[in-house]
Amino acid sequence: MSDNVVGTDTPPFADIVNGALEFTIPAAHRMGVKALEVRPGFAATSVPAEGNGNHFGVIYAGVLFTVAEILGGAIAVASFDNSAYYPLVKDLQIFFRKPAKTDVRAEATLSEDEIARITEEAAANGKSDFTLKSVVTDTNGVVVAETVGLYQLRAHGK
């Protein structure tokens, strides 16, 4: 089952994000960041622990930041018209909760009402700011980090 409407020839949104990562954000691709599930209003990403450790045996803080920050672009791919708009991050705060010793998963959501607001505002003004909160968990479901990001959907050419 794909992330998209059944019967279309469009690749699932997660495949689009994964295909683009190597070229748009090579550092994230080298870390092994992957989109697991991407659909309008929802994105989940992961990154392996292997190869991403630090000097005391847990996942490096920058890797946790990256797996969460990528969600802003991933959710935009599925939620907005990519031929007219692109996302950018304006600010992101991360709150480290526990050391991560296993692979991690990051998730974020946008409500239908918020997607509609962003779409309408971007159409009227050429851009729209939105806040995206994420939760990063280890394979045992323990919250290892949380983020609050300020993103912007911006019209091409603006």
Side-chain angles (χ1 to χ4, degrees):
M1 186 165 173
S2 98
D3 294 17
N4 293 339
V5 177
V6 176
T8 68
D9 292 331
T10 306
F13 292 120
D15 291 349
I16 293 169
V17 172
N18 288 328
L21 267 179
E22 181 177 2
F23 304 103
T24 59
I25 310 171
H29 175 74
R30 285 189 302 274
M31 288 176 195
V33 173
K34 293 215 183 312
L36 301 174
E37 185 179 351
V38 181
R39 62 180 188 271
F42 179 82
T45 55
S46 69
V47 70
E50 185 175 340
N52 287 312
N54 64 14
H55 59 288
F56 60 95
V58 300
I59 294 181
Y60 172 62
V63 173
L64 295 176
F65 180 97
T66 302
V67 74
E69 191 282 322
I70 292 294
L71 292 167
I75 211 164
V77 164
S79 302
F80 306 109
D81 179 358
N82 293 272
S83 67
Y85 302 100
Y86 64 94
L88 57 88
V89 63
K90 293 177 70 176
D91 188 31
L92 192 121
Q93 294 180 307
I94 187 163
F95 307 93
F96 299 106
R97 303 298 186 205
K98 301 266 184 189
K101 295 180 182 180
T102 69
D103 297 357
V104 296
R105 175 186 175 100
E107 291 186 5
T109 61
L110 277 179
S111 70
E112 287 183 24
D113 288 346
E114 182 66 350
I115 291 169
R117 181 198 66 79
I118 296 161
T119 301
E120 290 169 18
E121 190 174 290
N125 303 324
K127 61 185 176 181
S128 178
D129 288 351
F130 63 98
T131 299
L132 192 64
K133 295 179 180 181
S134 81
V135 176
V136 184
T137 56
D138 68 11
T139 57
N140 298 311
V142 174
V143 175
V144 297
E146 295 174 288
T147 65
V148 177
L150 178 61
Y151 291 84
Q152 185 174 86
L153 188 67
R154 186 177 287 190
H156 291 286
K158 295 285 180 180

